[in-house]
C-alpha cells in the first residue's frame, strides 16, 4: 500500500481524489483541508507520498512541503502538486521546490491513480 497524505482546501476535490485513488487500488489515503492539519498527522501516519494543492488559506502547498521536509525522516518525501494554477512559471516554481510533478486541475479522475503510481515508479528508478 502507498500511504498518501492529500492536502486540499476544496471538499469536492478531496472527495474526488479519494474516490480516484480508491478505484486505482494500492493506496491508503488521509485527506486534510489544511497544511497545518496534515503536518500534525505525518509522524503518526508515516506517508510515502504527499499530494498537495498550491493555493490554500494560511499555508500554501510549498510551505506545507517545506515544513514536512524539515521533519526527521521526511527530507526527501516525494510530493506531487495538484493545482488549478498552472503555467510554465508556476510549474517551474513547484518543480524547483522539489515536486515530482504538477498535475493540472481539472484532472481525469479515472487516470489519477495510474498517473501517481507511474510518477512514483519513475522516481524510484531514477534514484
Amino acid at each position: 500500500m502507498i500511504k498518501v497524505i492529500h492536502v486540499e482546501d476544496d471538499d469536492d476535490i478531496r472527495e474526488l481524489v479519494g474516490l480516484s485513488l480508491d478505484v486505482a487500488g494500492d493506496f491508503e489515503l488521509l485527506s486534510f483541508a489544511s497544511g497545518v492539519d496534515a503536518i500534525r498527522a505525518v509522524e503518526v501516519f508515516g506517508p510515502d507520498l504527499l499530494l498537495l494543492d498550491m493555493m490554500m488559506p494560511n499555508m500554501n502547498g510549498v510551505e506545507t512541503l517545506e515544513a514536512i521536509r524539515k521533519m526527521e525522516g521526511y527530507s526527501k518525501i516525494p510530493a506531487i502538486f495538484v493545482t488549478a494554477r498552472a503555467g510554465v512559471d508556476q510549474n517551474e516554481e513547484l518543480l524547483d521546490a522539489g515536486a515530482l510533478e504538477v498535475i493540472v486541475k481539472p484532472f481525469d479522475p479515472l487516470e489519477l491513480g495510474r498517473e501517481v503510481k507511474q510518477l512514483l515508479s519513475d522516481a524510484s528508478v531514477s534514484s
Side-chain angles (χ1 to χ4, degrees):
M1 292 295 272
I2 302 166
K3 295 172 85 173
V4 179
I5 283 185
H6 176 226
V7 187
E8 166 66 59
D9 60 321
D10 184 300
D11 295 341
D12 293 334
I13 301 292
R14 276 197 317 277
E15 185 174 340
L16 186 59
V17 167
L19 291 170
S20 298
L21 296 185
D22 189 45
V23 166
D26 301 322
F27 291 100
E28 182 178 349
L29 178 69
L30 282 184
S31 293
F32 299 94
S34 76
V36 172
D37 291 338
I39 291 165
R40 290 184 187 127
V42 167
E43 289 181 344
V44 174
F45 184 62
D48 302 307
L49 171 70
L50 304 173
L51 285 179
L52 303 167
D53 184 20
M54 179 55 201
M55 298 181 303
M56 299 180 291
N58 302 321
M59 179 180 246
N60 70 34
V62 171
E63 292 166 337
T64 301
L65 176 58
E66 289 171 349
I68 291 172
R69 285 195 169 159
K70 288 179 183 174
M71 299 171 71
E72 187 172 333
Y74 294 96
S75 64
K76 297 190 185 297
I77 188 167
I80 298 170
F81 282 88
V82 183
T83 183
R85 188 176 152 210
V88 174
D89 291 342
Q90 175 73 26
N91 287 358
E92 284 182 29
E93 175 188 337
L94 297 175
L95 295 170
D96 288 346
L100 284 179
E101 187 59 78
V102 178
I103 296 174
V104 178
K105 296 178 197 171
F107 55 86
D108 182 345
L110 297 176
E111 290 296 315
L112 182 64
R114 183 202 58 75
E115 187 173 359
V116 168
K117 288 177 187 178
Q118 187 63 52
L119 289 166
L120 282 173
S121 176
D122 292 350
S124 67
V125 168
S126 66
S127 296

